[in-house]
Amino acid sequence: MSTLLVYFVIGSLLVLLIGIAVYFLTARKYQSSATVANSYDQWTLDGILEFYWGEHIHLGHYGSPPRRKDFLVAKSDFVHEMVKWGGLDKLPPDTTVLDVGCGIGGSSRILARDYGFAVTGITISPQQVKRAQELTPQELNAQFAVDDAMALSFPDASFDVVWSIEAGPHMPDKAIFARELMRVLKPGGILVVADWNQRDDRQKPLNFWEKPVMRQLLDQWSHPAFSSIEGFSELLAATGLVEGEVITADWTQATLPSWLDSIWQGVVRPSGFLRFGLSGFIKSVREVPTFLLMRLAFGAGLCRFGMFRAVRANSRTELMDRNFAKVTPSSLVR
């Protein structure tokens, strides 16, 4: 082996070791709602996530069974599939919708533009609200505000529909999250939630390799915990505000291609390197291990993509804890 080759191998190993160290040392561990807000503020300011993921910061729907599809098209298709699954396509125009964890407003705009709904999107990230406002035409009936899903600033029974995509993993107390979602629904209103979930470890505990993988999935993207589909369904029912049963579905297979497609975007769209430079390239590459771990977890059954639908009971009985009833925020702007 030549000296030059030896140096190359040693140098490559050093770069790999440094990369691994940086990955673990720069994890975005959940500490409070502020760490979630800061993470999304930074991702929004960078513009990298929007460049590669478009206006929808959630997974795509590739059909059942899955088929090849453009990454960005799959994301908008997800919104329409969720509307149909939840029965929202049967609702009249001007139906009021709260989009909890709205990101930069992709879903809110589709709900307002294609279905005529009156949408209020909330996120804990001020930068996401600012970007959502920039991307939303004035003629759309969609408005955005900074708000905390753990203590929504709306009175009881405010909306016909409550909608949420992939916000639950950021919530430190899933019972409070479930109660807030149901609390702001009008009697007879519909809750539709799509979320990343872990396997129900009450039935099958995490094994020796699943525990460290789950730890990274939580720490890298500021998640305090994942609920299971079964567990969150039980928490919704436990609010005492659900009429009948909570309907659930598993969309893991329909969304699974999203993880590798997320990585593939960096390959087929190299213009991102010119746009964001070396620092943007490093930030993008840094996320690749988490995408791969997500693909491993969802493919192996450690994680599942859960869908939830619940109807607010036609009772005028409201929650006894009035701490959850706040005034309507005055910061709502188009």
Side-chain angles (χ1 to χ4, degrees):
M1 184 180 292
S2 67
T3 302
L4 184 60
L5 182 57
V6 170
Y7 286 152
F8 176 78
V9 172
I10 292 174
S12 298
L13 289 174
L14 285 174
V15 170
L16 179 61
L17 290 173
I18 292 172
I20 293 173
V22 169
Y23 178 74
F24 286 108
L25 291 174
T26 59
R28 307 178 191 89
K29 296 182 179 180
Y30 177 89
Q31 297 175 4
S32 67
S33 60
T35 58
V36 178
N38 291 339
S39 292
Y40 279 105
D41 278 348
Q42 190 58 57
W43 286 324
T44 305
L45 287 170
D46 285 342
I48 300 172
L49 187 60
E50 182 181 342
F51 177 81
Y52 287 114
W53 275 45
E55 61 178 320
H56 299 283
I57 307 174
H58 58 73
L59 303 189
H61 192 287
Y62 291 78
S64 300
R67 59 187 182 277
R68 293 186 64 83
K69 188 184 291 188
D70 178 82
F71 184 53
L72 300 184
V73 171
K75 287 167 167 289
S76 60
D77 285 352
F78 182 98
V79 178
H80 294 292
E81 292 291 337
M82 185 168 168
V83 167
K84 288 189 291 185
W85 184 82
L88 307 186
D89 54 336
K90 300 177 178 63
L91 299 179
D94 296 323
T95 292
T96 57
V97 179
L98 179 65
D99 184 356
V100 178
C102 66
I104 57 176
S107 297
S108 295
R109 283 185 289 277
I110 287 181
L111 294 172
R113 182 187 66 237
D114 296 354
Y115 300 95
F117 297 157
V119 185
T120 299
I122 63 104
T123 167
I124 204 166
S125 163
Q127 290 300 324
Q128 284 190 327
V129 168
K130 180 175 181 292
R131 185 59 179 149
Q133 293 164 359
E134 293 171 350
L135 292 172
T136 304
Q138 285 291 322
E139 63 270 18
L140 285 187
N141 194 355
Q143 53 189 352
F144 303 92
V146 177
D147 206 356
D148 188 346
M150 296 294 291
L152 292 169
S153 300
F154 301 94
D156 296 352
S158 293
F159 297 93
D160 300 311
V161 172
V162 172
W163 165 287
S164 182
I165 303 178
E166 298 174 13
H170 292 302
M171 307 302 161
D173 190 318
K174 312 303 185 190
I176 292 177
F177 180 51
R179 182 162 31 171
E180 282 295 274
L181 295 176
M182 294 303 301
R183 178 184 68 77
V184 297
L185 266 179
K186 295 178 181 178
I190 302 172
L191 170 71
V192 186
V193 173
D195 246 334
W196 302 345
N197 301 98
Q198 73 170 56
R199 184 183 68 238
D200 190 348
D201 57 9
R202 296 170 301 181
Q203 303 297 322
K204 183 180 179 182
L206 274 57
N207 63 31
F208 71 97
W209 71 265
E210 292 174 330
K211 290 179 180 179
V213 168
M214 179 58 68
R215 186 73 266 154
Q216 288 307 307
L217 299 186
L218 296 176
D219 288 350
Q220 292 298 330
W221 288 346
S222 200
H223 298 140
F226 289 164
S227 62
S228 65
I229 294 177
E230 297 83 359
F232 192 65
S233 176
E234 291 166 9
L235 290 177
L236 287 171
T239 65
L241 297 173
V242 175
E243 181 179 274
E245 297 182 355
V246 177
I247 305 301
T248 64
D250 187 332
W251 280 15
T252 302
Q253 292 305 310
T255 57
L256 192 59
S258 300
W259 300 112
L260 295 185
D261 263 2
S262 298
I263 299 173
W264 186 241
Q265 292 302 300
V267 177
V268 298
R269 301 175 68 191
S271 59
F273 180 75
L274 298 176
R275 180 170 180 174
F276 300 108
L278 180 60
S279 63
F281 175 76
I282 293 172
K283 288 179 180 179
S284 299
V285 171
R286 191 217 169 280
E287 305 303 332
V288 170
T290 309
F291 285 131
L292 292 173
L293 287 176
M294 283 289 192
R295 175 58 179 81
L296 170 66
F298 279 87
L302 169 59
C303 288
R304 302 164 65 196
F305 196 100
M307 302 294 297
F308 306 84
R309 184 185 190 275
V311 175
R312 172 70 188 262
N314 282 305
S315 167
R316 303 192 68 84
T317 302
E318 303 296 346
L319 295 174
M320 297 302 293
D321 187 353
R322 307 311 295 180
N323 291 329
F324 289 99
K326 308 291 184 180
V327 297
T328 303
S330 60
S331 59
L332 290 175
V333 292
R334 291 204 179 273

